[in-house]
Amino acid sequence: GESVGLHLPTLSVQEGDNSIINCAYSNSASDYFIWYKQESGKGPQFIIDIRSNMDKRQGQRVTVLLNKTVKHLSLQIAATQPGDSAVYFCAEIFGNEKLTFGTGTRLTIIP
Amino acid sequence: ETGVTQTPRHLVMGMTNKKSLKCEQHLGHNAMYWYKQSAKKPLELMFVYNFKEQTENNSVPSRFSPECPNSSHLFLHLHTLQPEDSALYLCASSQQAGGGTDTQYFGPGTRLTVL
């Protein structure tokens, strides 16, 4: 499944499939990006980050891709599990400025 | 757990009440933050403290009063709130504010309801 971030706030994916959550960021000069996961009743949890001098970074079952040309960030989750159900936020930062968060995408895993 | 704790987890208060939210971080960080999270809105930064000094007040009404006695503790004092102040209030910490690639770690939040 694939979302377009702020314009499609929900995404449903079959358990075991891969998920792609997209985010369009606003500042072309932003140099650091973070993906957060927020489960119901909890605060946002750091998942993975990437600096602007990279195009791709991999973690455990997650990959973040950065396309600076179109100011686009995506989070790929491999083999989604029920525990992946949450709201996912991207955040950007420029220099020493504060983090700017998106509104998030709610990911629902269908058993 | 993220190492950032918040109490209480839930709070219901009347508009004339005075209450306080507490945040404690066990990560050895020097910066602490208060955010407001309302439904279908991005996280709103309220206050930033760096080495116990307030470095940012994001045009927050005076009915919200922060206090940072040391780098590990942060309070948000509430008085004469309005129903529209009902939200999830999140505390976060990082190594230091304005650190560029400095990641913020969040607590579980306090769900506040103002009647």
Side-chain angles (χ1 to χ4, degrees):
Chain A
E2 184 170 0
S3 81
V4 291
L6 299 181
H7 302 290
L8 186 64
T10 62
L11 175 66
S12 296
V13 175
Q14 202 75 34
E15 182 178 351
D17 287 353
N18 297 334
S19 301
I20 301 175
I21 301 171
N22 297 305
C23 178
Y25 62 91
S26 57
N27 186 350
S28 59
S30 290
D31 48 17
Y32 181 57
F33 305 87
I34 305 173
W35 279 101
Y36 284 94
K37 171 187 179 183
Q38 187 173 20
E39 297 176 83
S40 181
K42 296 183 178 180
Q45 177 186 5
F46 171 88
I47 302 175
I48 192 168
D49 58 359
I50 188 168
R51 301 188 184 197
S52 60
N53 61 354
M54 302 171 70
D55 297 321
K56 178 179 180 179
R57 190 161 188 225
Q58 288 185 292
Q60 188 176 14
R61 275 202 311 120
V62 295
T63 301
V64 56
L65 298 177
L66 176 62
N67 185 331
K68 295 179 286 294
T69 303
V70 295
K71 295 190 292 184
H72 184 268
L73 193 67
S74 70
L75 177 71
Q76 300 178 2
I77 305 173
T80 51
Q81 304 167 357
D84 294 329
S85 292
V87 176
Y88 290 82
F89 298 93
C90 64
E92 61 181 299
I93 190 166
F94 164 60
N96 293 330
E97 298 296 315
K98 59 193 178 193
L99 275 176
T100 301
F101 290 87
T103 53
T105 297
R106 179 173 298 280
L107 176 65
T108 301
I109 307 304
I110 304 168
Chain B
E1 292 298 322
T2 61
V4 181
T5 59
Q6 290 186 243
T7 55
R9 294 294 309 276
H10 301 272
L11 178 61
V12 179
M13 59 187 290
M15 289 190 284
T16 58
N17 291 158
K18 287 185 180 181
K19 297 287 184 183
S20 295
L21 309 185
K22 179 183 176 182
C23 176
E24 183 173 0
Q25 59 95 2
H26 312 275
L27 301 170
H29 290 164
N30 297 302
M32 297 187 78
Y33 310 77
W34 279 118
Y35 285 88
K36 176 183 179 181
Q37 187 175 38
S38 305
K40 300 184 180 179
K41 284 187 179 180
L43 281 167
E44 299 174 54
L45 180 64
M46 300 174 72
F47 302 103
V48 181
Y49 278 82
N50 201 29
F51 294 93
K52 300 189 298 179
E53 298 297 321
Q54 184 175 312
T55 58
E56 182 146 354
N57 176 338
N58 205 23
S59 303
V60 181
S62 59
R63 57 185 184 270
F64 295 91
S65 175
E67 178 190 0
C68 187
N70 54 63
S71 293
S72 299
H73 294 86
L74 185 65
F75 296 89
L76 187 63
H77 304 299
L78 316 171
H79 63 98
T80 60
L81 294 192
Q82 304 298 311
E84 59 264 30
D85 296 322
S86 298
L88 182 69
Y89 288 85
L90 290 160
C91 173
S93 73
S94 69
Q95 195 58 246
Q96 67 177 68
T101 58
D102 194 26
T103 301
Q104 294 178 27
Y105 295 88
F106 286 83
T110 295
R111 173 67 63 185
L112 174 67
T113 302
V114 181
L115 302 176

